[in-house]
């Protein structure tokens, strides 16, 4: 069945009077007779041939599989990041993927925030630089011995991060948080401080920047009707992002530290939407709960940050060397 759908999609892409057999023969570099056997369904397209046709004629593999089976999903995969150039490209491609969707009316982005959403930690401030440092430390071997204080991101990296952060700020969105959403960032600050690659002054400044970020997020949530934060203490978040517009849905699923799979497969996005909606229904919308309950949530996060500051300060006091 998928072969018939592939030919149907191909027929729509080539000029009206063009030969479907010729189109297949040209793209696959096979003989007319071999192409004829495939077009007449006497022979099957291999997976490699299907991909070649899709690339040659810019066909959507998502559209092919969504109409044929629910057991296979076509996805795009971001390139693995191994150095600063790759990180710049990653941020630029993330922007390019999200920008067209952001221009559509009634867009909504739903972020299941296992960690602080990446978009908040790519701006040109000390927290953004620290996150870039951590990513490169984990992905680029040349950063193994480099301390945070000796790290200076390239201008192109800063610009790409600022551009992505600014775009995210314009999109109507809902984020699902837990008290643990802050944990990985706190652990990173503590780890590199203990490892001697982040000095106490920088570590404390990062904590202050985190406090400011949480305060800014709280204020934005209260004053911006297009920004919602849900508190869920039952489910574990997974950093999945579902973008919905009146005409399409796109799901982003992380699979390594930063890389992600992207799909617009209708059934997959629908199922992800149902699951995320279930998470929302079992969460508290902090925009509308009472001030006491809202403050309690954010105060717990601030308390965690202050606890790390105390730990850093105590380490300095007990440093006998």
């Amino acid at each position: 069945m998928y072969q018939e759908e592939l030919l149907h999609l191909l027929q729509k892409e080539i000029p009206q009077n063009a030969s479907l057999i010729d189109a297949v023969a040209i793209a696959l570099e096979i003989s007319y007779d071999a192409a004829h056997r495939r077009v007449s369904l006497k022979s099957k397209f291999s997976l490699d041939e299907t991909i070649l046709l899709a690339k040659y004629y810019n066909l959507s593999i998502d559209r092919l599989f969504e109409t044929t089976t629910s057991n296979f999903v076509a996805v795009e995969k971001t390139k693995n990041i191994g150095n600063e150039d790759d990180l710049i490209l990653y941020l630029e491609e993330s922007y390019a993927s999200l920008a067209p969707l952001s221009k559509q009316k009634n867009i909504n982005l739903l972020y299941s925030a296992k960690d602080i959403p990446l978009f908040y930690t790519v701006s040109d401030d000390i927290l953004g630089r620290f996150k870039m440092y951590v990513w490169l430390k984990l992905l680029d071997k040349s950063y193994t011995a480099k301390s945070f204080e000796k790290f200076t991101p390239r201008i192109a990296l800063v610009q790409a991060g600022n551009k992505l952060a600014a775009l995210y700020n314009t999109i109507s969105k809902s984020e699902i948080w837990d008290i643990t959403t802050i944990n990985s960032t706190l652990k990173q600050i503590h780890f590199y401080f203990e490892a001697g690659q982040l000095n106490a002054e920088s570590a404390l400044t990062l904590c202050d920047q985190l406090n400011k970020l949480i305060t800014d997020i709280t204020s934005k949530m209260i004053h911006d009707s297009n920004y919602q934060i849900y508190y869920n203490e039952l489910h574990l978040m997974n950093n999945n992002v579902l973008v919905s517009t009146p005409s399409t849905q796109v799901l982003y699923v992380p699979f390594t530290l930063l890389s992600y799979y992207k799909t617009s497969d209708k059934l997959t996005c629908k199922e992800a939407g149902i699951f995320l909606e279930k998470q929302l229904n079992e969460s508290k919308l902090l925009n509308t709960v009472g001030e006491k309950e809202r403050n309690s949530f954010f105060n717990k996060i601030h308390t965690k940050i202050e606890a790390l500051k105390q730990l850093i300060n105590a380490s300095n006091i007990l440093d006998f060397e």
Side-chain angles (χ1 to χ4, degrees):
M1 183 177 176
Y2 94 88
Q3 185 151 326
E4 295 178 14
E5 182 62 25
L6 174 61
L7 292 170
H8 175 69
L9 292 175
L10 177 57
Q11 186 72 70
K12 295 170 67 174
E13 292 297 325
I14 64 177
Q16 188 172 0
N17 298 323
S19 165
L20 190 58
I21 297 174
D22 286 341
V24 171
I26 291 170
L28 300 183
E29 298 182 349
I30 58 178
S31 69
Y32 182 91
D33 288 342
H36 181 271
R37 288 195 297 273
R38 286 159 175 76
V39 171
S40 62
L41 304 181
K42 293 179 180 178
S43 297
K44 292 183 178 181
F45 290 107
S46 68
L47 179 59
D48 287 342
E49 289 174 340
T50 301
I51 294 172
L52 281 173
L53 280 172
K55 288 184 176 180
Y56 194 93
Y57 291 105
N58 195 28
L59 304 177
S60 170
I61 296 292
D62 286 12
R63 289 173 57 196
L64 173 62
F65 281 103
E66 73 187 18
T67 59
T68 57
T69 177
S70 60
N71 298 322
F72 297 92
V73 179
V75 299
E76 294 180 38
K77 181 178 75 70
T78 57
K79 180 183 176 182
N80 284 333
I81 301 170
N83 52 51
E84 194 167 356
D85 286 332
D86 292 340
L87 182 55
I88 293 170
L89 182 62
Y90 168 85
L91 295 175
E92 291 175 342
E93 290 184 343
S94 296
Y95 177 90
S97 175
L98 195 55
L101 297 169
S102 71
K103 296 176 183 178
Q104 298 191 40
K105 293 182 179 180
N106 300 319
I107 180 178
N108 184 67
L109 184 150
L110 182 52
Y111 199 125
S112 177
K114 178 182 178 181
D115 307 308
I116 298 174
L118 171 146
F119 304 97
Y120 296 128
T121 57
V122 290
S123 297
D124 184 24
D125 55 30
I126 188 172
L127 182 58
R129 294 195 297 277
F130 176 70
K131 279 293 189 176
M132 292 173 184
Y133 168 77
V134 171
W135 296 330
L136 290 170
K137 284 278 286 185
L138 296 172
L139 297 170
D140 186 343
K141 293 181 180 179
S142 69
Y143 280 76
T144 301
K146 181 176 290 189
S147 68
F148 173 67
E149 285 72 28
K150 292 183 179 179
F151 169 66
T152 302
R154 285 161 44 192
I155 293 176
L157 179 56
V158 173
Q159 291 175 335
N162 284 338
K163 190 175 180 181
L164 183 60
L167 175 65
Y168 186 72
N169 194 46
T170 67
I171 296 175
S172 176
K173 53 190 167 286
S174 302
E175 297 169 358
I176 310 174
W177 285 52
D178 184 19
I179 301 299
T180 59
T181 296
I182 193 79
N183 283 8
S184 64
T185 301
L186 294 177
K187 287 180 179 179
Q188 289 162 359
I189 295 172
H190 182 247
F191 176 86
Y192 287 109
F193 170 69
E194 289 286 299
Q197 295 186 313
L198 174 70
N199 66 36
E201 182 181 359
S202 295
L204 292 171
T205 302
L206 284 166
C207 290
D208 290 337
Q209 186 67 35
L210 264 179
N211 269 323
K212 181 180 183 302
L213 174 61
I214 299 304
T215 299
D216 290 344
I217 287 174
T218 307
S219 177
K220 182 176 177 62
M221 178 197 67
I222 294 172
H223 297 103
D224 186 349
S225 60
N226 290 319
Y227 179 46
Q228 296 180 321
I229 292 187
Y230 290 81
Y231 170 34
N232 189 307
E233 53 185 329
L234 179 62
H235 290 278
L236 293 176
M237 272 33 95
N238 54 15
N239 288 332
N240 281 1
V241 176
L242 180 65
V243 182
S244 301
T245 74
S247 60
T248 189
Q249 285 187 306
V250 181
L251 177 67
Y252 300 85
V253 180
F255 74 97
T256 62
L257 179 64
L258 287 176
S259 302
Y260 56 81
Y261 296 116
K262 169 189 170 185
T263 183
S264 55
D265 177 77
K266 289 182 180 179
L267 180 59
T268 302
C269 290
K270 180 180 179 181
E271 291 175 342
I274 291 172
F275 175 73
L276 289 169
E277 190 66 33
K278 178 177 174 62
Q279 280 193 324
L280 292 179
N281 291 335
E282 296 174 348
S283 305
K284 297 176 182 178
L285 178 57
L286 296 177
N287 302 59
T288 58
V289 299
E291 182 178 0
K292 179 180 178 181
E293 194 166 5
R294 181 170 60 241
N295 289 345
S296 174
F297 172 80
F298 287 110
N299 285 341
K300 287 177 182 177
I301 293 179
H302 285 297
T303 298
K304 285 188 173 215
I305 300 171
E306 290 303 317
L308 178 56
K309 289 182 68 174
Q310 292 176 19
L311 185 61
I312 294 168
N313 283 318
S315 295
N316 283 336
I317 293 172
L318 294 173
D319 187 356
F320 297 113
E321 298 181 2

